[in-house]
């Protein structure tokens, strides 16, 4: 029997000749369970037989078919996914056909953790990263397997632009096969389509920094080259002008520079946003009235105060004034937060 064999799919296993040699193992539950799970008869039947074949570590096509039936009913059962992975590997199941099956499941359960991790395992089996290390990024993106997976993730994102699983899967593909530069083109397309897509901005940061590219957690954040920092500042400014109230570019550029080019915050970003907010600017009214502008000033002046201790007192006063304006005028809903933020702006000892 195969996963797609609809003639047998709804027939209880105990009535199928193929399973006559198996004694199902029932679910173990205490007699006085307070909240017993109301399993359907179909699910209880399938799980009883699945426990039995798993108990004896059976490797067979019927066991593989059974995992498919169980996953369609309960796609979150990670133990079944792990058993299926073992079966696929030991049976030598064709990876392409297995990917087709996963794609079918994903059309219904596109936010299932197990499905996406399982797909990673299949792709690694189909295209070992070590075998394509000598290919260029253009060649890698043109590889049928990688091209298909990028399209698969892209389609999932088109259906839900904030699909965490699809973005994470793209990150895995980019990191595993080293297609960093090519991914930036996709990200810019996504941001151009929706400048408020915070997932796309997060992906931009991931690609730019390369997720550390092998950096251990104990190592400092890698510095950003001046030319790259300037490019990202200009890019963020361009998107800020499009939608001044959009938090994404403000948070992106502030976070990026704080971690990887802190000096650029006050030497390059500060004069650019002040110019936008200055009287006479075409954007003065909309920029100077946004909470993001003032909160960015707080971050910038706090950073500058740490870098220039001899000017720290005056710089922190400016940051405190910005907190006051946020609490009273620009972000009164969070006035207590800004009062707290102000209290934290102190000289380092």
């Amino acid at each position: 029997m195969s996963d797609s064999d609809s003639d047998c799919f709804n027939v209880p296993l105990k009535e199928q000749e193929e399973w006559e040699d198996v004694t199902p193992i029932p679910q173990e539950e205490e007699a006085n369970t307070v909240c017993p799970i109301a399993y359907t008869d179909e699910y209880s039947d399938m799980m009883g037989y699945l426990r039995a074949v798993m108990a004896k570590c059976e490797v067979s096509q019927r066991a593989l078919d059974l995992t498919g039936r169980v996953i369609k009913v309960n796609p979150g059962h990670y133990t079944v996914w792990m058993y299926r992975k073992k079966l696929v590997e030991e049976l030598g199941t064709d990876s392409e056909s297995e990917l087709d099956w996963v794609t079918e499941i994903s059309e219904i359960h596109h936010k299932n953790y197990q499905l996406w991790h399982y797909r990673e395992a299949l792709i690694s089996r189909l295209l070992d990263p070590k075998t394509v290390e000598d290919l260029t990024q253009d060649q890698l993106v043109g590889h049928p397997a990688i091209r298909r997976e990028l399209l698969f993730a892209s389609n999932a994102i088109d259906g839900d632009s904030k699909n965490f699983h699809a973005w994470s899967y793209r990150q895995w593909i980019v990191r595993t096969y080293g297609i960093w530069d090519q991914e930036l083109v996709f990200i810019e397309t996504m941001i151009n389509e929706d400048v408020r897509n915070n997932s796309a901005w997060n992906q931009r940061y991931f690609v730019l920094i390369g997720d550390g590219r092998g950096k251990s957690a104990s190592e400092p954040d890698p510095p950003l080259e001046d030319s790259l920092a300037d490019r990202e500042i200009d890019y963020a400014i361009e998107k800020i002008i499009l939608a001044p109230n959009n938090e994404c570019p403000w948070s992106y550029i502030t976070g990026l520079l704080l971690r990887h080019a802190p000096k650029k915050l006050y030497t390059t970003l500060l004069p650019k946003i002040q110019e936008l907010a200055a009287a006479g600017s075409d954007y003065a009214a909309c920029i100077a009235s946004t909470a993001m502008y003032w909160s960015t000033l707080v971050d910038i002046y706090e950073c500058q105060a740490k870098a220039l201790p001899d000017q720290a007192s005056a710089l922190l006063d400016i940051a405190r004034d910005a907190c006051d304006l946020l609490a009273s005028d620009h972000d009164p809903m969070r006035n207590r937060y800004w009062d707290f933020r102000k209290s934290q702006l102190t000289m380092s000892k």
Side-chain angles (χ1 to χ4, degrees):
M1 186 183 71
S2 68
D3 290 338
S4 61
D5 193 344
S6 58
D7 293 336
C8 296
F9 191 85
N10 293 320
V11 178
L13 299 182
K14 61 186 177 184
E15 297 178 13
Q16 296 182 26
E17 183 178 350
E18 182 182 19
W19 292 94
E20 288 181 348
D21 62 315
V22 179
T23 301
I25 299 175
Q27 172 77 25
E28 292 185 5
E29 286 190 1
E30 297 182 5
N32 298 317
T33 302
V34 176
C35 295
I37 299 175
Y39 297 114
T40 64
D41 292 340
E42 175 194 15
Y43 186 72
S44 296
D45 178 60
M46 290 190 297
M47 286 304 300
Y49 283 90
L50 184 63
R51 292 188 199 95
V53 293
M54 290 180 68
K56 61 180 184 179
C57 299
E58 178 177 319
V59 177
S60 65
Q61 185 62 43
R62 71 175 181 181
L64 180 63
D65 294 337
L66 181 54
T67 63
R69 291 184 62 175
V70 172
I71 286 171
K72 285 183 177 180
V73 176
N74 181 11
H77 201 315
Y78 61 87
T79 304
V80 182
W81 283 101
M82 289 299 297
Y83 183 43
R84 186 177 181 90
K85 178 176 179 291
K86 169 184 167 67
L87 293 172
V88 165
E89 292 173 348
E90 296 193 16
L91 290 171
T93 302
D94 178 62
S95 294
E96 295 284 358
S97 62
E98 187 68 3
L99 279 169
D100 290 340
W101 178 80
V102 175
T103 299
E104 178 187 339
I105 299 295
S106 70
E107 291 175 358
I108 303 173
H109 306 288
H110 54 275
K111 290 191 175 181
N112 175 272
Y113 279 99
Q114 290 76 22
L115 180 151
W116 290 96
H117 287 298
Y118 184 72
R119 195 173 185 101
E120 289 179 9
L122 287 176
I123 295 302
S124 295
R125 178 171 174 252
L126 180 66
L127 185 63
D128 185 343
K130 294 181 181 178
T131 65
V132 293
E133 288 179 337
D134 295 333
L135 298 183
T136 66
Q137 290 197 38
D138 287 339
Q139 290 173 324
L140 284 166
V141 172
H143 191 286
I146 295 177
R147 186 169 65 247
R148 180 194 54 221
E149 293 312 297
L150 289 173
L151 179 60
F152 175 76
S154 178
N155 288 338
I157 291 170
D158 285 342
D160 179 358
S161 63
K162 307 297 176 66
N163 188 331
F164 164 82
H165 306 278
W167 282 109
S168 294
Y169 186 62
R170 283 194 74 97
Q171 289 190 0
W172 178 81
I173 296 171
V174 170
R175 185 192 306 110
T176 301
Y177 296 102
I179 50 175
W180 302 97
D181 296 339
Q182 297 291 337
E183 183 68 359
L184 197 58
V185 177
F186 172 76
I187 295 166
E188 291 190 355
T189 300
M190 295 301 296
I191 292 177
N192 287 338
E193 289 179 359
D194 178 9
V195 74
R196 292 176 173 81
N197 188 342
N198 55 293
S199 296
W201 284 98
N202 179 71
Q203 188 81 347
R204 187 177 183 91
Y205 177 86
F206 165 79
V207 170
L208 192 67
I209 302 304
D211 196 32
R213 303 201 188 186
K215 180 183 80 68
S216 69
S218 61
E219 292 181 289
D221 292 317
L224 205 60
E225 294 180 5
D226 285 351
S227 59
L228 198 53
D230 289 338
R231 186 195 74 184
E232 292 305 295
I233 290 171
D234 290 340
Y235 183 80
I237 292 292
E238 174 188 326
K239 303 308 178 185
I240 286 170
I241 290 172
L242 283 177
N245 280 309
N246 174 24
E247 190 172 354
C248 293
W250 292 99
S251 296
Y252 168 77
I253 196 61
T254 303
L256 176 70
L257 298 180
L258 274 172
R259 294 190 63 175
H260 306 282
K263 188 176 180 179
K264 283 287 183 178
L265 276 169
Y266 50 89
T267 61
T268 307
L269 179 62
L270 179 60
K272 284 181 178 290
I273 62 174
Q274 285 179 324
E275 181 180 354
L276 289 177
S281 165
D282 293 339
Y283 313 102
C286 54
I287 296 292
S289 63
T290 65
M292 281 70 72
Y293 170 72
W294 294 99
S295 64
T296 300
L297 291 183
V298 174
D299 291 329
I300 291 175
Y301 284 116
E302 181 182 33
C303 176
Q304 190 176 14
K306 292 177 181 178
L308 305 172
D310 56 322
Q311 302 176 36
S313 179
L315 293 169
L316 289 176
D317 282 342
I318 299 174
R320 294 188 192 102
D321 289 342
C323 286
D324 288 337
L325 284 170
L326 282 159
S328 63
D329 299 336
H330 303 299
D331 194 14
M333 286 290 291
R334 298 197 301 163
N335 63 84
R336 292 188 179 182
Y337 167 76
W338 293 114
D339 288 342
F340 170 77
R341 185 79 171 86
K342 177 181 177 180
S343 72
Q344 301 301 300
L345 295 172
T346 58
M347 303 260 307
S348 299
K349 296 181 179 179

